[in-house]
Each structure stands twice: as C-alpha cells, then as structure tokens.
C-alpha cells in the first residue's frame, strides 16, 4: 500500500449520497419541464384568437365587417351577440327557485288549523255563493301550487300577489321564472288569468289557467309592493345585472334636469361617417367604439337613436331609414348603466345655453387622434367629424391600433330588445318550454353545388328524416328555424314530429298584438313593421332555447359553413 497514490472519491459519488443526488436530479428535471410547459402555455394564450369574429384583432374585423351577405339564418353576420350572451349564469341567483314543498310549508304556516284544500263542510253553510277572494292566502297558495304543477319545465323564483280578475271567480297572478334547462343568463316574467271554482262543500280548485300574458291586471307591480312569495329575495345588484323579459319597459329618452347640470357636463359626439346602412354587426362595432371612448374620457355620449336598416334585412332589398335603436336593443338598460343623451335633446339644450354659459367645442377630424390624446381636453364638447372616404370614415377606426388595448368596448351595456325577447318567451311558452330545435340552412347555399356540394341532398326531407331519427325522439315538438320559404318542403317530418315554424306565431306581432301596440306608441303613433332583422333575431333566439339544438353544419351535413375546404378556417 505504501507508495501507491491514494484515490480520493468525491463526496457526491459516495454510495450513501447516490440516492439523494438521484432524487435531486429528477426534481430538477421535473422543474425544467414544468417551466417549459408554462412557457409554451403562455405563448399559446398570448397568441390565441377566439372564434367570435367580434373579438378578432382589427386586421380581421375590417374584412369581417365589409363583407356582404343575404338575410338568412346566420349567427355570424345577421344576428349579433350582445351583452347577455357573454354573461355567465349566476348559479347563486338561479338556485333559489320555489318548489311545491315550499308552498305547502307557507300554507301550513299561514293557517295551521284551517281546513285543507278538501274544504270543511261544517264551515261551508251559507258560503257556497260567496265570491272567491283572490287576496285570500288560501286562494293564493292554491294558484301557486297549480302553476308549479302545470308548468314542470320551468323554475319559479317569485310569485306576485294574486289580484281580482274582471269577472267573478277569476284571479290574475304574475311570476318570475326561467326554463329548467335555460342556458341564457336571464329571468322571464309571465302573468296569467286563473279561473277558480268552488264546489258544494266550498272546496276551491283551479279550473283553468289562461294563455301567456293573459293576466294583464297583475302585470304592473306597484311601487314598494312586496312580492307575494319569494324564496330567496334577489339583491338589487343581481336584479339590475340580469335581463327580466316581460317586465314593463321604460325606454323614454333621458333629459338634463337643469341648465346648471348641462353646463357642468362633458360630452362626446360622433358626426358623419360611412357606417350608416351597414349591417348590424358593423353598426354595433362602431357604436360601441364611440361608447367605449366616452367612458374612457368620462364623458356623456351624445347618440343618434335613428338607424338605417341595411338592405340585407329588408323585404324591399333596399336600405330603410326611420328605424330606431330601441326597436332592436334595450335602451332602458343602456341609459341606466351608462351616461347617454339623445342628440336632438342635446342640440336643443346646447343652442339654448352654449353662448350664455360659454361652452366650447373641440373638433377632431382625424380618426388617428387617439382618445389618449384627448384625455386632457377641457372643452364641454368633443366632436369627432368623419369624412366621406371609406373605410377611413368608419367610426370603429378610432379604436384600432394602440387604442385597441386601452379603450374597451362595453359589451355588457348592450342587451337585445326585451320586447323582441318577450315574443321569444311567448313562443317558447306556447311550447311549454319543452321542445327540440333544428336549424336548416338552404336557399342560395343549397343551390350552389360548387361550394356546398352535399347541402341540398343532406337537407332534403328523406335525409332529414333519417338523420333526425337518431338525434331526436319520435313524437317531440320540433321547432325548425330555416331560410327555406316553402314550409311544406318539411311535411314528411310530420310523420315523426310535431313541427313548428315562426310564422305560426305571427299573431304575436300583428296589428292586434301587445308588441304592435307598444311599438306604435314608441314610434309616435306610426306602426312599426316586423322587419327581417327582427324576424331572424326571434327565429334564432327561439332555436337557442330548444332542449336539443341541431345545427346544419355541425350535425346535418359534412359541408363547411363557408364553402369547400373552409371548415378549419371558418372562424378565423
């Protein structure tokens, strides 16, 4: 051993250290893979473009908005998505629905020693001919039980107090509800007329429940009136954050209270431009740019409520002036959630007080002047004036470039017209909210064999019978949303299903309807036509409330929605 060079092992290679070192090596490797995974995920998240064309970058939105299309049933170009479509369902708000057992509990609590629904003949003597008292808790509880049993496909959230109807033995009652399988974040309101009968032993029973919105005397809820029964009263912010279809709509124009209020205000107005008479997607994309800038600058948006309806939505195939923002969108929600003024009212006040109060105007004629550069402007009114050369005179150009990441379009402020949505609710209610729906695109696409070689055959009656047989149970109510004008084309489906089309419900918008009456009042006494955009909007929304929803290009044909070889890029 003497004279032999000694060999010294490093500490890390000693047998007792090999185990810990191996674990450390594996840990480092796992951490490296984790960091690499996070890096890849971050890159994907940063570069991902969502499918909704309204959220594409401006380089794609310009192409999207300047495209043309006819008014067939297409969610990407004829019917726009609005704020309520992007709202997540509030499960807390929707969880407190009323069960039949809840009604039985309050019935027992209100009158624990009274006779049951079978009546008490001992107390009945001389009372058989006594009129039914709609305000009697027993009658109210009876009506609630009858409603819950009659409509098993909806959840009830509030019952209004029952009120006397126009005839003896009739009572009106309203309730707030939503479909059990509802996908949209909204409540609905219905009010119906009940016929109450009394037997020889004074037993009360519901003999009949009227149609949707038949109980008109219970429609309006008086101020400060407590509801008849509500299991979990909603907080005020919950009510305001969700549409309630069926409530009385107050879309009167806002007014400035005084000269002082007007003179201390700050305003923004867009004037001119090439956005007029464009499709509704284009209109809303530009309008929300203006509204977003107004909110960024903390100014009131002065808006023109008149709309020119694009020819793609009209039966005349001509652009039609004289439409109103309130025909298509919920102005009540907008004016309660944002600071807006009608331009007619604004200019009346401006001309009255501008000189006297020394109000100044700041004119901007270049869309490249960003909102950020206007943040320090002190003038009472900023006016953006747009020229005549398209597309540089489109309002939405203001929100492009560096502004895109600063000014956010407030989608949550735009909801669909609750009057139109009430028609949707009426159609669904007539079907008891228990139906399946099919969207069938034909028209020009079915005739164009070059771009859609299989569509015509795949949507033929025989093909539909075969395809739907595997997707929808026989005997079901089926709502068909389609651009096929000849509905007899679908007659072969009647052997399997009870089919329904939008035209079956035209009494909901004809001259005798509630919608027609309210729209005429809104339009200063002039009747309002149920135009192509309204029609396709209602058709779409009824389709979307079906329990099963069968789409043309997802379920009925292998053709691509935008033509041959576009399936992978249809949403780009």
């Amino acid at each position: 051993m003497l004279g032999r060079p000694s060999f010294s092992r490093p500490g890390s290679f000693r047998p007792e250290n090999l185990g810990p070192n191996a674990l450390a090596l594996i840990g480092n490797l796992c951490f490296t893979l984790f960091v690499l995974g996070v890096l890849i995920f971050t890159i994907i998240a940063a570069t991902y473009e969502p499918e909704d064309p309204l959220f594409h970058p401006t380089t794609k939105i310009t192409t999207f908005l300047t495209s043309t299309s006819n008014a067939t049933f297409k969610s990407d170009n004829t019917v726009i998505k609005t704020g309520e479509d992007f709202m997540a369902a509030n499960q807390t708000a929707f969880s407190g629905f009323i069960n039949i057992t809840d009604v039985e509990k309050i019935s027992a609590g209100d009158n624990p020693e009274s006779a049951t629904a079978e009546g008490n003949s001992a107390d009945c003597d001389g009372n058989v001919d006594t009129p039914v008292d709609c305000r009697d808790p027993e009658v109210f509880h009876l009506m609630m039980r009858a409603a819950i049993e009659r409509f098993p496909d909806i959840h009830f959230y509030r019952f209004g107090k029952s009120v006397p109807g126009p005839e003896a033995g009739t009572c009106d009652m309203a309730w707030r509800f939503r479909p059990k399988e509802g996908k949209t974040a909204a409540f609905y309101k219905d009010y119906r007329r009940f016929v109450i009968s009394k037997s020889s032993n004074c037993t009360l029973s519901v003999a009949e429940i009227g149609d949707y919105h038949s109980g008109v005397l219970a429609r309006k809820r008086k101020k400060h009136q407590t509801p008849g029964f509500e299991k979990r009263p909603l907080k005020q912010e919950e009510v305001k954050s969700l549409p309630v279809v069926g409530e009385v709509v107050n879309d009167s124009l806002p007014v400035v209270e005084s000269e002082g209020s007007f003179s201390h205000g700050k305003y923004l107005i867009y004037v001119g431009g090439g956005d007029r008479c464009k499709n509704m997607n284009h209109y809303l994309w530009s309008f929300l740019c203006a509204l977003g800038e107004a909110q960024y600058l903390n100014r009131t948006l002065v808006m023109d409520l008149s709309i020119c309806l694009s020819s793609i939505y009209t039966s005349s195939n001509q652009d039609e002036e004289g439409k109103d923002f309130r025909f298509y969108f919920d102005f009540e929600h907008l004016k309660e959630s944002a600071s807006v003024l009608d331009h007619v009212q604004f200019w009346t006040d401006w001309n009255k007080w501008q000189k006297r109060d020394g109000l100044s105007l700041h004119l901007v004629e270049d869309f490249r002047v960003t909102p950020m550069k206007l943040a320090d402007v002190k003038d009472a009114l900023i006016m953006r004036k747009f020229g005549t050369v398209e597309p540089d005179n489109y309002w939405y150009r203001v929100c492009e470039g560096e502004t895109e990441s600063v000014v956010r379009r407030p989608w949550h402020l735009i909801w669909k017209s609750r009057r139109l949505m009430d028609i949707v609710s009426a159609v669904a209610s007539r079907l008891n909210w228990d139906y399946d729906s099919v969207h069938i695109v034909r028209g020009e696409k079915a005739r164009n064999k070059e771009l859609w070689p299989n569509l015509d055959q795949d949507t033929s009656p025989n093909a539909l019978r075969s395809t739907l047989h595997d997707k929808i149970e026989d005997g079901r109510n089926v709502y068909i949303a389609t651009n096929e004008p000849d509905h007899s084309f679908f007659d072969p489906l009647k052997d399997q299903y009870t089919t329904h089309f939008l035209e079956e419900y035209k009494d909901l918008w004809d001259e005798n309807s509630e919608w027609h009456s309210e729209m005429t009042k809104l339009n200063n006494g002039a009747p309002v036509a149920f135009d192509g955009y309204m029609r396709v909007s209602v058709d779409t929304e009824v389709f979307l409330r079906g329990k099963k929803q069968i789409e043309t290009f997802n379920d009925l044909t292998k053709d691509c929605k935008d033509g041959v070889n576009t399936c992978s890029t249809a949403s780009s």
Side-chain angles (χ1 to χ4, degrees):
M1 300 293 292
L2 292 176
R4 181 180 298 177
S6 61
F7 179 76
S8 175
R9 294 181 178 176
S12 60
F13 286 97
R14 292 175 182 172
E16 62 272 19
N17 292 337
L18 289 179
N21 287 340
L23 291 175
L25 181 63
I26 293 172
N28 290 336
L29 180 61
C30 291
F31 180 74
T32 301
L33 292 175
F34 171 75
V35 172
L36 184 61
V38 170
L39 180 62
I40 293 173
F41 177 80
T42 303
I43 293 174
I44 293 175
T47 58
Y48 174 69
E49 296 175 359
E51 291 187 359
D52 191 329
L54 294 180
F55 291 97
H56 280 168
T58 53
T59 55
K60 293 190 176 183
I61 198 66
T62 300
T63 302
F64 166 71
L65 291 176
T66 54
S67 64
T68 58
S69 173
N70 59 1
T72 56
F73 182 108
K74 293 201 302 177
S75 60
D76 58 343
N77 199 34
T78 55
V79 178
I80 58 176
K81 289 186 175 181
T82 50
E84 67 271 46
D85 296 318
F86 303 115
M87 293 166 57
N90 187 331
Q91 297 305 323
T92 301
F94 295 154
S95 62
F97 59 88
I98 301 169
N99 293 303
I100 194 75
T101 53
D102 298 316
V103 179
E104 292 172 351
K105 287 179 182 178
I106 62 167
S107 297
D110 284 351
N111 203 359
E113 298 180 358
S114 69
T116 64
E118 285 72 27
N120 189 324
S121 57
D123 298 332
C124 188
D125 294 340
N127 293 325
V128 175
D129 297 327
T130 303
V132 173
D133 182 3
C134 297
R135 295 182 174 85
D136 185 339
E138 182 184 355
V139 175
F140 177 48
H141 301 157
L142 174 69
M143 293 169 65
M144 285 195 290
R145 285 195 298 268
I148 294 173
E149 292 170 353
R150 169 75 177 274
F151 307 112
D153 287 283
I154 65 176
H155 281 155
F156 295 84
Y157 292 85
R158 170 197 285 172
F159 285 100
K161 291 182 177 179
S162 52
V163 299
E167 300 173 357
T170 62
C171 303
D172 289 2
M173 183 175 69
W175 56 79
R176 179 178 291 174
F177 73 97
R178 70 188 303 267
K180 280 186 178 179
E181 300 183 20
K183 302 175 181 65
T184 57
F187 286 111
Y188 302 84
K189 181 178 180 178
D190 195 2
Y191 35 92
R192 303 208 183 200
R193 181 151 297 157
F194 291 67
V195 177
I196 311 296
S197 65
K198 182 186 290 188
S199 68
S200 58
N201 67 345
C202 293
T203 300
L204 298 176
S205 62
V206 173
E208 181 183 339
I209 300 179
D211 294 331
Y212 183 78
H213 282 9
S214 57
V216 293
L217 298 179
R219 180 184 187 185
K220 292 185 179 180
R221 180 184 172 192
K222 296 179 181 179
K223 290 184 178 180
H224 310 300
Q225 177 184 349
T226 56
F229 179 56
E230 191 170 12
K231 187 174 180 178
R232 190 190 78 87
L234 295 179
K235 298 177 181 178
Q236 191 64 22
E237 58 269 22
E238 289 179 316
V239 174
K240 287 186 175 181
S241 66
L242 293 169
V244 182
V245 177
E247 290 280 12
V248 176
V249 178
N250 175 19
D251 48 14
S252 59
L253 299 179
V255 295
V256 179
E257 295 180 354
S258 65
E259 178 181 352
S261 297
F262 184 85
S263 299
H264 284 92
K266 300 293 183 182
Y267 307 95
L268 171 70
I269 189 171
Y270 281 32
V271 178
D275 303 273
R276 201 152 186 87
C277 303
K278 295 295 191 293
N279 66 60
M280 201 65 85
N281 276 320
H282 183 129
Y283 168 78
L284 201 61
W285 187 248
S286 285
F287 173 75
L288 282 172
C289 172
L291 186 58
E293 181 181 24
Q295 292 197 314
Y296 173 78
L297 296 174
N298 196 26
R299 288 174 175 264
T300 295
L301 179 67
V302 180
M303 60 180 291
D304 182 358
L305 271 74
S306 71
I307 288 179
C308 172
L309 190 65
S310 169
S311 59
I312 67 173
Y313 309 117
T314 65
S315 57
S316 64
N317 295 320
Q318 300 292 321
D319 296 337
E320 294 182 1
E321 291 280 3
K323 305 295 184 178
D324 192 300
F325 180 94
R326 294 169 292 180
F327 294 177
Y328 310 101
F329 304 105
D330 187 345
F331 185 67
E332 180 179 5
H333 171 64
L334 175 62
K335 72 178 182 178
E336 289 181 350
S337 307
S339 183
V340 294
L341 271 180
D342 173 54
H343 76 122
V344 176
Q345 179 67 48
F346 172 80
W347 287 123
T348 299
D349 293 341
W350 179 268
N351 293 332
K352 189 189 306 181
W353 297 318
Q354 181 257 331
K355 289 184 180 179
R356 186 162 67 189
D357 295 340
L359 305 179
S360 57
L361 180 152
H362 184 89
L363 181 63
V364 180
E365 296 185 280
D366 188 344
F367 74 86
R368 289 168 294 190
V369 176
T370 67
M372 294 79 81
K373 293 179 180 177
L374 301 175
D376 295 327
V377 171
K378 305 299 182 184
D379 300 86
L381 174 63
I382 295 177
M383 175 188 289
R384 280 195 181 271
K385 192 173 182 179
F386 295 82
T388 58
V389 180
E390 298 186 21
D392 286 348
N393 64 347
Y394 293 160
W395 292 4
Y396 65 73
R397 299 300 303 273
V398 172
C399 294
E400 293 181 341
E402 60 179 311
T403 305
E404 188 174 14
S405 60
V406 178
V407 174
R408 299 294 184 181
R409 286 175 172 82
W411 287 98
H412 62 286
L413 299 181
I414 302 297
W415 291 351
K416 297 177 183 67
S417 162
R418 280 186 285 151
R419 292 188 178 93
L420 287 178
M421 295 306 297
D422 201 26
I423 295 178
V424 174
S425 179
V427 173
S429 292
R430 290 186 182 182
L431 295 170
N432 290 320
W433 295 89
D434 183 21
Y435 65 96
D436 300 317
S437 53
V438 184
H439 165 213
I440 302 175
V441 172
R442 287 187 55 79
E444 293 181 8
K445 288 190 175 184
R447 292 189 290 271
N448 189 332
K449 301 296 176 64
E450 183 178 348
L451 292 179
W452 296 277
N454 304 293
L455 180 61
D456 186 30
Q457 177 59 36
D458 290 342
T459 56
S460 66
N462 290 334
L464 288 172
R465 288 184 62 180
S466 176
T467 304
L468 295 178
H469 178 73
D470 297 328
K471 298 179 181 293
I472 299 177
E473 296 178 8
D474 287 358
R476 291 281 295 162
N477 281 311
V478 175
Y479 182 87
I480 298 178
T482 182
N483 61 339
E484 172 59 55
D486 181 12
H487 292 168
S488 66
F489 179 83
F490 301 104
D491 280 353
L493 295 178
K494 292 181 179 179
D495 293 339
Q496 294 175 228
Y497 310 109
T498 303
T499 57
H500 303 273
F501 301 88
L502 182 61
E503 286 305 309
E504 294 178 30
Y505 308 98
K506 58 186 177 182
D507 63 291
L508 295 172
W509 61 82
D510 68 16
E511 60 183 11
N512 297 316
S513 67
E514 181 181 323
W515 178 87
H516 185 273
S517 174
E518 291 191 4
M519 294 297 281
T520 300
K521 291 179 183 177
L522 178 65
N523 201 35
N524 298 317
V528 176
F530 192 71
D531 60 47
Y533 185 80
M534 297 173 183
R535 185 177 302 272
V536 75
S537 180
V538 171
D539 209 20
T540 303
E541 295 299 326
V542 175
F543 165 80
L544 292 173
R545 280 152 183 76
K547 288 187 173 179
K548 288 184 179 178
Q549 299 163 18
I550 308 299
E551 278 280 11
T552 300
F553 295 103
N554 292 330
D555 305 302
L556 301 179
T557 181
K558 58 186 176 183
D559 285 350
C560 304
K561 182 175 69 172
D562 295 326
V564 173
N565 298 325
T566 63
C567 288
S568 60
T569 60
S571 60
S572 63

